[in-house]
Structure formats: structure tokens, C-alpha cells
Amino acid sequence: DIVLHAILKDPCAMDLADDSLKSDRDFAMIVATQQPMALQFADEAVVQDREVMLSAITTSSQAMVLADVSLARDRGFVLDALRCTTSKHETLLRYVHVEFRRDRDVVLAAVAVPVWLVASGIVSFDIAATIRGIFGDESAIELSKEGAVKLQEAQAKLLEESKNLGKKLEPHVAVAKAHVERAVAPAL
């Protein structure tokens, strides 16, 4: 508990931990979910462990840089990391191996935004900003005028679909809010 507390305050404290803790998978899982960057001081077997590293990446996309090269070059792992992260996907894509930055499925997973998030207003979807976030600027992916027009059309269609979905969800949201208010009212 003392070592974990120290690591939570300063990830570099993991470097001072006993070797048995640095290689302990259960301890690594706790660290991965609370202070993932401390795993840079963990045993090699820990950063090779798919589950530990996915937990770390779920907590912080920066943890992708800590993954063993065997994981970092595993397309399935990269796609899983994109699926499980709570961070902006384009941020995670900055940390994946360069060969995957041009992989169609990986990039599509990185720019995928659940329609319901757009519809609810939780996320605003701007394809140009997403592309800039991933590649630094639009020229990096050499968009043709035709390609740019298709992206704009796709963005407009997504926004329209999200508005329609939002309208369809409004009655359900109202019912859910009413249920929550009734459940909370007795507690007040």
C-alpha cells in the first residue's frame, strides 16, 4: 500500500519499487488503471502483457509508447487499443507505430465517432480537425479536391443522421430523466 501510494503521487517511484512488485502482474494491473506511465519502470514481461497494456491505454493513450514492440506492431492490439481508449482516438494514433498511421482500418477506427455522441451534443465532429489531430495537417494525407469533397459530404451526412437520431432519442431521454427524477426525489 505504501509503494502504491508513492507511485500514485509520482510515477517515478515505481523505479524504486522492489523487483518482485515491478514484475507482479496483479500489481501492474492496479498501476495501469491509476498511474499507467509508471509502467515505464515495470518488468519487461509487464509491458508485453496485452491485458495490462490495454488497461493502461484505456487510462491514458500515452501509455501506448510503453507497450512492448511486439504489441505496438500487432495490428489487432492497435485496433483493440483504439476500441478501448477513453481518450481522443486521434491522440492515441500519434503513439502507434508509424506503419499503422496509413492503415485504412486503423485510421477509420481513430476517426470513428459514435453517432449518438454527436447527436447528444457530447461530441462535435469536425473531420478536418480530426485529420489535423492525426497527421498534423491535411496535406499530410494528400487529399485531392475530390477526396476533400467526399469527406465534406460524409461529414454533412453524419451530422444530418446524428440530428435525426437525436430527435428519435428525445422521447426516450425524457422518459429516462423522469425515471431518474422519481428515483432521486425520495432520497431528497
Side-chain angles (χ1 to χ4, degrees):
D1 282 343
I2 294 172
V3 175
L4 180 59
H5 183 73
I7 291 169
L8 295 180
K9 285 190 170 257
D10 181 1
C12 294
M14 180 79 160
D15 192 31
L16 303 173
D18 187 74
D19 288 343
S20 64
L21 279 179
K22 290 180 185 181
S23 61
D24 183 290
R25 186 178 188 280
D26 294 332
F27 185 74
M29 286 297 285
I30 294 168
V31 171
T33 61
Q34 297 183 38
Q35 187 61 277
M37 296 310 288
L39 294 178
Q40 65 189 300
F41 303 106
D43 187 73
E44 187 176 329
V46 168
V47 295
Q48 292 173 344
D49 186 300
R50 181 183 192 91
E51 189 179 350
V52 170
M53 292 314 298
L54 285 174
S55 291
I57 292 165
T58 299
T59 306
S60 171
S61 59
Q62 285 181 315
M64 185 69 183
V65 300
L66 304 177
D68 184 75
V69 70
S70 64
L71 292 175
R73 296 192 116 188
D74 177 339
R75 185 173 185 269
F77 175 78
V78 171
L79 287 169
D80 286 346
L82 284 165
R83 287 183 197 109
C84 76
T85 186
T86 56
S87 305
K88 288 184 174 182
H89 292 119
E90 64 267 20
T91 303
L92 177 62
L93 196 56
R94 289 181 185 169
Y95 300 112
V96 301
H97 193 274
V98 69
E99 71 188 68
F100 296 121
R101 294 181 193 163
R102 302 284 186 224
D103 181 297
R104 181 181 187 278
D105 293 334
V106 171
V107 173
L108 287 176
V111 298
V113 176
V115 173
W116 70 270
L117 285 175
V118 178
S120 65
I122 295 170
V123 171
S124 63
F125 185 71
D126 181 345
I127 192 77
T130 302
I131 291 169
R132 276 193 301 276
I134 295 169
F135 297 103
D137 62 51
E138 287 88 349
S139 65
I141 59 171
E142 300 174 12
L143 288 176
S144 65
K145 286 185 180 182
E146 183 180 325
V149 168
K150 286 182 180 178
L151 280 174
Q152 288 174 341
E153 289 170 357
Q155 178 185 11
K157 184 177 178 182
L158 174 65
L159 290 173
E160 185 60 33
E161 288 175 8
S162 70
K163 288 177 187 174
N164 291 338
L165 180 61
K167 289 176 186 173
K168 290 178 185 175
L169 291 176
E170 284 175 4
H172 301 289
V173 170
V175 170
K177 283 183 181 177
H179 286 297
V180 169
E181 288 172 3
R182 282 194 297 266
V184 172
L188 299 175

